[in-house]
């Protein structure tokens, strides 16, 4: 098929295991990237892996917050940044970061409901890198909210359901 695969090690590989994984990945053009092969404290080793292998490496746990993104960029990272916009910090600073040369971003989720996803994907994502294509986002969390009013994409419906559930509860004390 034409699909691309993303592999995520969650920082759990050793140097030798990461080298073995990347050597295999290099033989398969449908591997988009290997995400966070080594723990965040092994940043320099991940830079070496990025130079040694054809398969792209994406930083995830290393770049949870804006200051982490900025520090890795300042230290020379020009690979992929997995950005969890909901917890990264200021949208204005995130926009400024993403517009720098050589920044390659894939947006990822941290259990956002439909409201958070809609804001990130329809508003924030468009403004992050105008005129440049963002990678396909990694938002595979919707199954956690199945059967929940919080996952309804119609905000009027969502608001009415939240209002009615509040009105049916006992009065707030305080």
């Amino acid at each position: 098929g034409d699909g691309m695969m993303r592999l995520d090690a969650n920082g759990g590989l050793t140097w030798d295991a990461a080298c073995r994984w990347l050597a295999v990945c290099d033989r398969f053009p449908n591997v988009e990237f290997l995400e966070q092969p080594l723990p965040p404290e092994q940043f320099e080793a991940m830079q070496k892996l990025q130079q040694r292998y054809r398969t792209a490496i994406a930083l995830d746990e290393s770049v949870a917050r804006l200051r982490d993104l900025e520090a890795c960029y300042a230290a020379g990272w020009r690979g992929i940044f997995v950005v969890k916009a909901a917890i990264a910090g200021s949208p204005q600073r995130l926009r400024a970061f993403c517009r720098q040369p050589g920044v390659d971003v894939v947006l990822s989720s941290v259990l956002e409901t439909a409201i958070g996803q809609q804001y990130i994907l329809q508003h924030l994502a468009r403004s992050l890198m105008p005129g440049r294509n963002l990678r396909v986002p990694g938002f595979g969390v919707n199954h956690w909210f199945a059967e929940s009013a919080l996952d309804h994409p119609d905000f009027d419906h969502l608001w009415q359901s939240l209002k009615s559930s509040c009105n049916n509860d006992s009065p707030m004390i305080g």
Side-chain angles (χ1 to χ4, degrees):
D2 293 336
M4 296 296 284
M5 257 189 313
R6 295 173 174 175
L7 305 173
D8 188 354
N10 289 316
L13 300 179
T14 63
W15 171 266
D16 290 338
C19 289
R20 287 193 302 273
W21 271 92
L22 287 163
V24 171
C25 289
D26 277 358
R27 300 196 326 248
F28 295 93
N30 64 331
V31 175
E32 185 179 4
F33 57 75
L34 176 61
E35 191 173 317
Q36 195 74 40
L38 303 174
E41 59 272 14
Q42 295 183 29
F43 175 78
E44 293 82 10
M46 282 189 284
Q47 283 184 304
K48 289 178 184 165
L49 289 171
Q50 179 182 276
Q51 294 162 1
R52 185 179 287 194
Y53 295 94
R54 192 189 84 243
T55 300
I57 293 175
L59 297 183
D60 180 6
E61 286 81 2
S62 295
V63 292
R65 294 159 303 196
L66 263 167
R67 67 173 174 252
D68 303 324
L69 288 161
E70 293 163 344
C72 289
Y73 182 82
W77 185 260
R78 295 301 179 269
I80 300 165
F81 294 91
V82 175
V83 173
K84 292 178 168 73
I87 62 169
S90 160
Q92 292 78 16
R93 277 183 52 206
L94 183 58
R95 282 186 196 98
F97 172 79
C98 289
R99 292 175 182 183
Q100 296 176 100
V103 171
D104 187 352
V105 168
V106 59
L107 292 170
S108 184
S109 61
V110 285
L111 296 178
E112 295 87 357
T113 62
I115 293 172
Q117 287 183 26
Q118 184 163 349
Y119 170 76
I120 291 167
L121 297 175
Q122 294 184 8
H123 177 70
L124 185 63
R126 291 179 187 170
S127 69
L128 287 182
M129 302 168 97
R132 291 164 59 194
N133 288 331
L134 282 171
R135 291 177 180 266
V136 174
F139 272 67
V141 298
N142 292 343
H143 62 284
W144 291 106
F145 298 105
E147 309 299 321
S148 166
L150 293 174
D151 197 42
H152 202 288
D154 178 346
F155 292 131
D156 290 332
H157 177 273
L158 175 57
W159 180 249
Q160 291 307 318
S161 102
L162 289 173
K163 275 179 40 180
S164 67
S165 72
C166 288
N167 291 338
N168 292 336
D169 290 338
S170 57
M172 287 209 246
I173 300 172

